Amino acid sequence: MKLRKKMVAGNWKMNGSVELVNQMANAVKAAELDNVDVVVFPPFPLLSNAINTGLNVGSQTVSHEEAGAFTGEVDASLVYELGCKYTLVGHSERRSLYGESDSLIAKKFARAQSSQLIPILCVGETEQEREQDLTESVISKQLDAVIDDLGVVSLDKSVIAYEPVWAIGTGKTATPEQAQQVHQFIRTKIAALDADVAQSLIILYGGSVNESSSELLFAQPDIDGGLVGGASLKPDSFVNICQSAQGNV
């Protein structure tokens, strides 16, 4: 059985500074996190600074278009040429605040891969959807938008991030058992289509991950790391989360 390498990704959202980039780079380097893939997602103006420090860097979004009159949008190939390795696709804030549909997200996913970026596809349910027992159907629909367009094999060069919307920025965190149940559902769904893709697929948990919750979350068999929000703006806290992933390899 192939072992999946743990990953911890830090989404800075519309926060950060050159000083934070340098502090984060120094903290990650000092921690010697050889058994964990560490990625940071700063705002666009800080991408070059972060790349120049040697950090693994991704963009928070990319356009589904290749080029043209799309003021304010950023092409995935330019992000790749800059030195990014990853991009977030379908983050819940992009879905809810900017109206990104499943079909648009599938196009962004495809554009990212055609530009040699690794998309981190974010899926997850709202609190209302969870209360209505719709978690699995919502996530299935979000995954199927990509699988139906590009085939399950497209997931082989991607990462999935399960982020329960009700746990983002609220201080609420799914219990390790709740998170594992959904991660297991995702892996089982994909295994029904391609067992090899499912086995090697990295699935992250995102939803108010912090130092106190990360170790138990990352110890679950189908949770391969985390997509970290607020705690990724604190280098010491973020490194501690990464070290808890390293301890669960």
Side-chain angles (χ1 to χ4, degrees), residues 23-45:
Q23 290 174 346
M24 184 64 73
N26 290 335
V28 170
K29 183 177 180 180
E32 298 182 351
L33 299 162
D34 298 331
N35 296 321
V36 180
D37 285 330
V38 179
V39 190
V40 295
F41 293 82
F44 283 118

Side-chain angles (χ1 to χ4, degrees), residues 21 25 28 38 40 48-57 85:
V21 167
V28 170
V38 179
V40 295
S48 290
N49 298 87
I51 290 164
N52 290 339
T53 66
L55 285 166
N56 284 330
V57 179
K85 296 181 180 179

Side-chain angles (χ1 to χ4, degrees), residues 107-186:
K107 291 176 182 178
K108 289 192 172 194
F109 185 101
R111 179 62 192 151
Q113 286 193 330
S114 70
S115 300
Q116 302 183 66
L117 292 172
I118 298 172
I120 298 183
L121 175 64
C122 302
V123 299
E125 82 285 13
T126 65
E127 186 168 20
Q128 183 179 18
E129 288 165 341
R130 171 167 277 272
E131 290 174 350
Q132 295 175 350
D133 199 26
L134 296 175
T135 296
E136 292 184 0
S137 62
V138 168
I139 291 171
S140 282
K141 181 173 177 287
Q142 292 168 340
L143 291 171
D144 286 343
V146 171
I147 294 170
D148 291 348
D149 276 7
L150 305 171
V152 68
V153 71
S154 68
L155 298 180
D156 198 36
K157 294 182 179 179
S158 75
V159 175
I160 303 292
Y162 166 56
E163 43 165 26
V165 180
W166 50 271
I168 299 174
T170 63
K172 298 179 181 179
T173 305
T175 66
E177 294 76 20
Q178 287 175 323
Q180 164 59 22
Q181 184 177 27
V182 178
H183 281 239
Q184 184 179 45
F185 165 74
I186 293 171

Side-chain angles (χ1 to χ4, degrees), residues 198-220:
Q199 168 57 32
S200 62
L201 181 65
I202 293 171
I203 309 177
L204 308 179
Y205 172 76
S208 298
V209 177
N210 55 45
E211 293 174 87
S212 62
S213 64
S214 60
E215 185 171 357
L216 288 177
L217 284 166
F218 298 166
Q220 302 302 309

Side-chain angles (χ1 to χ4, degrees), residues 31 96 197:
S96 64
V197 170

